[in-house]
Amino acid sequence: MRRDELFGPLNDKSAKIMLLGSGELGKEIIIEAMRLGIETIAVDRYENAPGQQVAHRAYTGNMKDPLFLKGIVEKEKPDAIIPEIEAINLDVLFELEKCGFNVIPNAAATHAAMQRERIRELISKKAGVPTSKYLYADTLDELKDACEKLGYPCWVKAIMSSSGQGSMFVESEADIKKAFDNSRARARGSGERMIVEEHIPFDIEVTELAVRHYDGNGHIVTSFPKPVGHYQIDGDYHSSWQCAEVSESVEREIYRTAEKITSALGGVGLFGCELFVKDGKVYGNECSPRPHDTGMVTLATHQATLSECGLHVRAVCGLPVPSVKQSGFNVILPVKNGASHVILSPCEGSHPVMRNLWQALGNDVSFFAFGKPDAHFGRRMGLVVALDDDVGKAKVKAERAAHMIEMRTSQQGWAGQHDRKFHLL
Amino acid sequence: MRRDELFGPLNDKSAKIMLLGSGELGKEIIIEAMRLGIETIAVDRYENAPGQQVAHRAYTGNMKDPLFLKGIVEKEKPDAIIPEIEAINLDVLFELEKCGFNVIPNAAATHAAMQRERIRELISKKAGVPTSKYLYADTLDELKDACEKLGYPCWVKAIMSSSGQGSMFVESEADIKKAFDNSRARARGSGERMIVEEHIPFDIEVTELAVRHYDGNGHIVTSFPKPVGHYQIDGDYHSSWQCAEVSESVEREIYRTAEKITSALGGVGLFGCELFVKDGKVYGNECSPRPHDTGMVTLATHQATLSECGLHVRAVCGLPVPSVKQSGFNVILPVKNGASHVILSPCEGSHPVMRNLWQALGNDVSFFAFGKPDAHFGRRMGLVVALDDDVGKAKVKAERAAHMIEMRTSQQGWAGQHDRKFHLL
């Protein structure tokens, strides 16, 4: 609902949001809510998750457990329930929504987005957006069949997994068994099924951070930050930049495509629509009904308080989302172009330490250390964003800073981090 | 000390900062520390102060009380003690410093800055910076004498007060009694003395947010954000903007002057040097050894994580402060020009509510609601920052948004706020 009044936090009329999952994105959502005087509750499966450290109140528990989830919602009675992760009891979300709780963007979208089969069907059938060809497989034989039909190379992905885990690029029949085992091993929950996707050798992969929000008349409209380009390593986001290098006509097609997908999902909030661009044509891939990893570049490219996380809070709370009109679209302009680069843990253990900060941060980069209490190999522990009118220069600057940082834990030392692989230098 | 390693928060080797006073500036300092994975402790005299809402831990009590202050410092053993307000027991600060605690920038600077006589003497005598002429007075007769000597108009200020309280512009002998009573009534602590200052009809009043920080070799150097222009109403900051409209030669003189003042104060951190410019000459006025109210414009003009509060955290924790060389100075460039405008309470009471958010926030302004639990007449409750290459347009945009916002409390209604005075429109 359009909201024209805000009570301060910590009284019985405060606007109150509850984050289900409180990682690095949840932390920034909470920071932006705090800056608006909105009361914040952070829930995660482990103590001292990034968002829990900044929120007014925190709860730790298993969000798959109906008693735990219902208990905290009924105790706190939040104005908005914001799922940040996928390991949430969906039946409870639907039930809470039926009882009048405001699930962001809604329980059905959360349900659709947590599983590759459902979101693919929604993008392709309900939204009518072109996708790469795809087939499903439940057994090794079905998988072989599907790969043969779609041709090599192709992608094999667990239908339920997050952040690229359980995804594999299959170059020939020889890779199928490994892809099958990997998908089974990394799948989350009961989703044993896998999806096989045709490989489109795309020109660029973009995320469109479309925001569905109220306008001055109380109608839901869509506004569009400039497309974010990104690349992945091992199926997980490694660097992203804004603005993506696309032509004006492709940009408009990206907005049109994102509008179709997000309308099919419904509700209000910011969505991360993952799209491919090939020969001027835009394909739908996935869509998260919440701020997106690759969108963290907007923490520095967008105006303060209006990053993807800030925009999400504005939309969720019914506050205005400012934009300018460009070719008939509501476009949210960055203040300056820039690039983000992840800082991944090269080690395992507790009490992670980062070093080499002077080499890394000597340039004017924005540096975020998420403050996670434990490191795992490949876990995202921090982020660097560099700004530059020339996006190519920003990419190099961000990569240089991020790759300079070394990490150790109480269990594992600094060894073996001197041979830094740079992708752009 | 230059710091090249950072432990995450909440373990026994974490970098830990303690804010003594946790208002809107403390809140942003804590947010930036949180983004670096630094552990944060917020102390204030009342519960749920803005900074306490985001910090890892909070304490509430009287910082004038030696037992309370010593107790929390000895319990928490912070790596840096950051005074944000002036109502702190100075004897305890000196004692803690002697015991090896790191007071920012140091106890002597905190002592000097909390009283107009001491900071004026430091600026004028120790730093050798020109100031307006000034005299002191303890009685009404001495005050009359001083005003006669300096000539009318002049300023009468309590030597101990904050944010312009207890200051009065004296146009003729007829105002002296009122100024005397006002100074006595609004003075803080035991400071009954007042300072009489010559009125310089300055061309512009600026704040130079000089940062003293370690360089790569472990030496303390000074870096300079672009000067911030501002104006006051009733002795309190009302709007500020960056960059201030000064010539290049004045800009260099501002840096030189700020360097003299901050070197005289010593230590590391960001300082708010209040300076006057008249006919190309720069005069020292006051200096806060911490982020400055008027510097809040940098929350949006500077790159994310490098606002005045972010720079303070970087300097305090021994992390790099990036800059570029301009005419021999380390200059910290804004990403874009902009203007801030305060949102002041027009009413008294608890549970403050803001409305008219749609009119106020429809444009692309950054909006900060500090989340203070109580409102007092004239209390700063929020802030708007607008960006525009043309600083004049940014000022108008920020004022328009800030003045649109109406407030009420549980005790007082909306009435009487429709007649909005605009200063620029």
Side-chain angles (χ1 to χ4, degrees):
Chain A
M1 217 165 49
R2 183 176 172 280
R3 179 193 299 267
D4 200 38
E5 280 185 24
L6 266 182
F7 278 76
L10 303 169
N11 69 68
D12 57 5
K13 288 184 177 163
S14 303
K16 209 195 263 190
I17 62 172
M18 177 182 276
L19 276 279
L20 300 181
S22 302
E24 51 268 39
L25 287 164
K27 180 177 175 179
E28 287 295 330
I29 290 170
I30 288 169
I31 285 174
E32 294 306 347
M34 286 287 194
R35 283 173 159 174
L36 291 169
I38 288 164
E39 197 166 316
T40 56
I41 302 137
V43 188
D44 213 309
R45 63 178 171 76
Y46 66 98
E47 297 269 345
N48 297 322
Q52 291 185 338
Q53 298 179 38
V54 279
H56 284 101
R57 283 187 300 291
Y59 296 90
T60 302
N62 178 3
M63 286 167 274
K64 286 275 184 194
D65 172 3
L67 284 181
F68 172 72
L69 189 54
K70 265 197 260 188
I72 53 173
V73 171
E74 277 160 14
K75 182 178 169 203
E76 291 284 358
K77 298 192 174 38
D79 294 285
I81 298 170
I82 307 182
E84 199 220 17
I85 54 166
E86 282 143 9
I88 296 172
N89 190 309
L90 260 295
D91 293 335
V92 172
L93 274 197
F94 277 104
E95 198 185 318
L96 290 167
E97 190 172 75
K98 218 174 278 172
C99 295
F101 284 103
N102 178 22
V103 176
I104 301 298
N106 56 62
T110 309
H111 177 250
M114 73 192 290
Q115 204 242 42
R116 286 201 170 83
E117 180 174 358
R118 288 196 288 260
I119 190 72
R120 179 54 71 116
E121 296 294 315
L122 181 139
I123 290 173
S124 170
K125 311 254 161 76
K126 189 169 173 195
V129 163
T131 64
S132 59
K133 288 181 204 130
Y134 59 96
L135 291 165
Y136 300 105
D138 288 300
T139 63
L140 185 58
D141 282 344
E142 284 178 27
L143 183 63
K144 275 182 194 158
D145 253 23
C147 292
E148 291 295 326
K149 275 185 192 145
L150 292 174
Y152 299 99
C154 60
W155 288 91
V156 172
K157 301 175 180 176
I159 59 165
M160 283 186 73
S161 78
S162 60
S163 291
Q165 294 192 331
S167 294
M168 232 184 100
F169 188 60
V170 172
E171 296 195 64
S172 72
E173 208 189 322
D175 296 336
I176 290 182
K177 180 67 173 65
K178 199 173 153 199
F180 181 82
D181 293 341
N182 174 58
S183 168
R184 277 283 154 92
R186 307 299 288 272
R188 258 188 319 96
S190 54
E192 301 225 316
R193 207 167 203 204
M194 47 205 83
I195 183 170
V196 188
E197 295 173 11
E198 170 197 20
H199 172 64
I200 298 178
F202 49 79
D203 302 322
I204 184 169
E205 194 167 353
V206 302
T207 307
E208 175 49 43
L209 303 164
V211 199
R212 285 173 55 87
H213 61 94
Y214 294 100
D215 69 5
N217 301 314
H219 301 126
I220 293 178
V221 294
T222 312
S223 296
F224 304 95
K226 288 275 181 177
V228 170
H230 60 98
Y231 74 84
Q232 307 193 341
I233 292 182
D234 297 334
D236 203 3
Y237 139 69
H238 203 77
S239 171
S240 68
W241 54 91
Q242 192 185 42
C243 304
E245 305 89 336
V246 294
S247 68
E248 280 179 38
S249 66
V250 167
E251 186 184 324
R252 289 194 295 270
E253 190 53 30
I254 286 170
Y255 298 152
R256 270 189 289 269
T257 305
E259 180 144 38
K260 283 181 199 167
I261 297 171
T262 54
S263 303
L265 287 163
V268 293
L270 182 138
F271 298 72
C273 301
E274 294 181 30
L275 311 170
F276 298 133
V277 181
K278 171 72 184 160
D279 300 330
K281 206 176 154 186
V282 175
Y283 297 83
N285 181 30
E286 296 189 24
C287 184
S288 66
R290 64 186 68 108
H292 194 264
D293 300 342
T294 60
M296 284 192 281
V297 67
T298 63
L299 293 175
T301 55
H302 277 203
Q303 180 166 351
T305 75
L306 298 171
S307 72
E308 62 162 349
C309 297
L311 291 169
H312 195 52
V313 174
R314 289 255 192 137
V316 163
C317 294
L319 296 170
V321 169
S323 62
V324 296
K325 276 278 176 207
Q326 284 190 350
S327 316
F329 295 98
N330 305 318
V331 178
I332 300 166
L333 299 174
V335 175
K336 195 162 178 162
N337 286 346
S340 77
H341 194 290
V342 297
I343 299 168
L344 303 179
S345 173
C347 52
E348 293 279 334
S350 57
H351 300 170
V353 194
M354 294 188 187
R355 79 167 178 193
N356 233 0
L357 299 173
W358 274 76
Q359 268 196 289
L361 309 183
N363 275 310
D364 53 339
V365 293
S366 300
F367 170 61
F368 301 85
F370 303 146
K372 294 178 184 176
D374 294 298
H376 306 298
F377 183 78
R379 189 178 200 192
R380 201 185 300 139
M381 302 302 285
L383 186 81
V384 162
V385 188
L387 299 183
D388 201 297
D389 291 328
D390 177 339
V391 136
K393 286 187 184 156
K395 288 181 207 176
V396 171
K397 207 162 143 187
E399 175 178 306
R400 197 191 298 262
H403 282 233
M404 283 294 171
I405 290 183
E406 297 182 355
M407 291 186 54
R408 71 164 176 85
T409 62
S410 294
Q411 292 77 27
Q412 236 180 309
W414 304 112
Q417 295 178 51
H418 297 287
D419 178 29
R420 296 189 188 85
K421 281 181 232 144
F422 289 96
H423 318 295
L424 302 170
L425 301 182
Chain B
M1 220 168 45
R2 181 176 173 284
R3 180 193 299 268
D4 200 38
E5 280 186 25
L6 267 181
F7 278 76
L10 304 169
N11 69 68
D12 57 5
K13 289 185 176 161
S14 303
K16 209 195 261 189
I17 62 172
M18 177 183 276
L19 275 281
L20 300 180
S22 302
E24 52 267 39
L25 287 164
K27 179 177 175 178
E28 287 294 330
I29 291 170
I30 288 168
I31 285 174
E32 294 307 346
M34 285 288 195
R35 283 173 159 174
L36 290 170
I38 287 164
E39 197 167 316
T40 56
I41 302 137
V43 187
D44 212 308
R45 61 178 172 76
Y46 66 97
E47 297 269 344
N48 297 323
Q52 290 185 339
Q53 297 180 39
V54 278
H56 285 101
R57 285 187 299 292
Y59 296 90
T60 303
N62 179 2
M63 285 165 275
K64 287 275 185 194
D65 172 2
L67 284 181
F68 172 72
L69 190 53
K70 265 196 262 186
I72 53 172
V73 170
E74 277 160 15
K75 181 177 169 205
E76 290 286 357
K77 298 193 173 37
D79 294 284
I81 298 171
I82 306 182
E84 199 220 15
I85 54 165
E86 281 143 10
I88 297 171
N89 190 307
L90 260 294
D91 293 335
V92 172
L93 274 197
F94 277 104
E95 197 184 321
L96 290 168
E97 190 171 75
K98 218 174 279 172
C99 295
F101 283 104
N102 178 24
V103 176
I104 301 298
N106 55 63
T110 310
H111 177 251
M114 72 191 292
Q115 203 240 43
R116 286 203 170 81
E117 181 174 359
R118 288 197 287 262
I119 190 72
R120 179 54 70 118
E121 296 294 313
L122 181 139
I123 290 171
S124 170
K125 311 254 161 76
K126 188 167 174 195
V129 164
T131 64
S132 58
K133 289 184 204 127
Y134 60 96
L135 291 165
Y136 300 105
D138 288 303
T139 65
L140 186 57
D141 282 344
E142 285 178 26
L143 184 63
K144 275 182 194 155
D145 253 22
C147 291
E148 292 295 327
K149 276 187 192 142
L150 292 173
Y152 299 100
C154 60
W155 288 90
V156 173
K157 300 175 180 176
I159 59 164
M160 281 187 74
S161 77
S162 60
S163 291
Q165 295 190 331
S167 294
M168 229 183 103
F169 188 59
V170 173
E171 295 196 65
S172 72
E173 207 188 324
D175 297 336
I176 289 182
K177 179 71 172 70
K178 198 171 153 201
F180 182 82
D181 293 341
N182 175 57
S183 169
R184 278 283 155 93
R186 308 297 289 273
R188 259 190 317 97
S190 54
E192 301 226 317
R193 205 164 207 208
M194 47 205 84
I195 184 169
V196 188
E197 296 173 10
E198 170 198 21
H199 172 65
I200 299 177
F202 49 78
D203 302 322
I204 185 169
E205 194 167 354
V206 301
T207 307
E208 175 48 43
L209 303 165
V211 198
R212 284 172 56 85
H213 61 93
Y214 293 99
D215 69 5
N217 302 314
H219 301 126
I220 294 178
V221 294
T222 312
S223 296
F224 304 95
K226 288 275 181 178
V228 170
H230 59 97
Y231 74 84
Q232 306 193 342
I233 291 182
D234 299 333
D236 203 2
Y237 139 67
H238 202 76
S239 171
S240 69
W241 53 91
Q242 192 184 41
C243 305
E245 305 88 337
V246 294
S247 68
E248 281 180 37
S249 66
V250 168
E251 185 184 325
R252 289 193 294 269
E253 190 54 30
I254 286 170
Y255 298 152
R256 271 190 288 269
T257 305
E259 179 143 38
K260 284 182 197 164
I261 296 171
T262 54
S263 301
L265 287 163
V268 293
L270 182 137
F271 298 71
C273 300
E274 294 182 29
L275 310 170
F276 297 134
V277 180
K278 171 73 184 158
D279 298 330
K281 210 178 149 183
V282 176
Y283 297 83
N285 181 28
E286 296 189 26
C287 183
S288 67
R290 64 187 68 107
H292 195 264
D293 299 343
T294 59
M296 283 192 282
V297 67
T298 63
L299 293 176
T301 55
H302 276 202
Q303 180 166 349
T305 75
L306 298 171
S307 73
E308 63 162 350
C309 297
L311 291 169
H312 196 52
V313 174
R314 288 254 193 140
V316 163
C317 294
L319 295 170
V321 170
S323 62
V324 296
K325 276 279 176 209
Q326 285 189 349
S327 315
F329 295 99
N330 305 319
V331 179
I332 299 166
L333 299 174
V335 174
K336 195 162 179 164
N337 286 345
S340 77
H341 194 290
V342 297
I343 299 168
L344 302 179
S345 173
C347 51
E348 292 279 335
S350 57
H351 300 170
V353 194
M354 295 189 187
R355 80 168 177 191
N356 233 0
L357 299 173
W358 274 76
Q359 268 196 291
L361 308 184
N363 274 310
D364 53 339
V365 293
S366 300
F367 170 61
F368 300 85
F370 302 146
K372 294 179 183 176
D374 294 298
H376 306 299
F377 183 79
R379 189 178 200 192
R380 200 184 303 138
M381 303 301 284
L383 188 81
V384 162
V385 189
L387 300 184
D388 201 298
D389 290 328
D390 177 340
V391 137
K393 285 187 184 156
K395 288 181 206 176
V396 171
K397 206 161 142 187
E399 174 178 306
R400 197 191 297 261
H403 281 233
M404 282 294 170
I405 289 182
E406 297 182 354
M407 290 185 55
R408 72 165 176 84
T409 61
S410 294
Q411 291 77 28
Q412 237 180 308
W414 304 111
Q417 295 179 50
H418 298 289
D419 178 29
R420 295 190 189 83
K421 282 181 232 146
F422 289 95
H423 318 293
L424 301 171
L425 299 183

